[in-house]
Amino acid sequence: QVELVESGGGLVQAGGSLRLSCVASGSDFGGYVISWYRQAPGKQREWVATISRGGTQSYSDSVKGRFTISRDNDKNTVYLQMNSLKSEDTAAYYCRFFRGASEYWGQGTQVTVFS
């Protein structure tokens, strides 16, 4: 089983930046496709970004050009660099690991953007 722990969330002014981290315990970190999702109060969970096993990145239209997902297989860690933050980015952010029939979620880290 894999356990995921997110960190790096907080309160930030609009236009600022934050870097989220998700550290995984377990084996074969490099074999997982990793994504970031977010969920704001009263809204459905929204996909944000994904990084493949080979490092290919993809993003939702709402964050493309502002957010960057990356992974460090040696450190069992995935990152989400968030720049030019907007109030609409306010949400709880979750990392997701997927591999075949296996799926794991972190507990989430809160990001609040104020103006």
Side-chain angles (χ1 to χ4, degrees):
Q1 192 175 40
V2 175
E3 294 183 7
L4 309 176
V5 180
E6 300 102 330
S7 63
L11 182 66
V12 63
Q13 189 172 17
S17 299
L18 284 175
R19 187 195 191 201
L20 306 184
S21 299
C22 179
V23 181
S25 64
S27 61
D28 201 19
F29 177 90
Y32 288 89
V33 175
I34 307 175
S35 296
W36 284 95
Y37 289 79
R38 65 187 183 186
Q39 186 168 22
K43 296 185 177 180
Q44 193 174 33
R45 185 181 63 188
E46 175 189 18
W47 171 73
V48 175
T50 294
I51 186 164
S52 72
R53 292 179 293 275
T56 301
Q57 306 158 33
S58 58
Y59 303 92
S60 69
D61 290 339
S62 62
V63 307
K64 190 175 183 179
R66 299 188 297 118
F67 291 10
T68 302
I69 187 171
S70 61
R71 65 192 294 169
D72 188 333
N73 293 347
D74 293 332
K75 296 181 178 179
N76 282 197
T77 303
V78 63
Y79 305 95
L80 184 68
Q81 178 67 47
M82 306 184 294
N83 299 325
S84 301
L85 283 163
K86 306 174 181 179
S87 59
E88 64 198 65
D89 296 318
T90 295
Y93 284 72
Y94 303 87
C95 58
R96 172 186 180 257
F97 282 47
F98 172 78
R99 181 189 181 186
S102 300
E103 182 185 46
Y104 304 96
W105 289 87
Q107 292 288 85
T109 184
Q110 179 66 38
V111 173
T112 302
V113 184
F114 67 93
S115 58

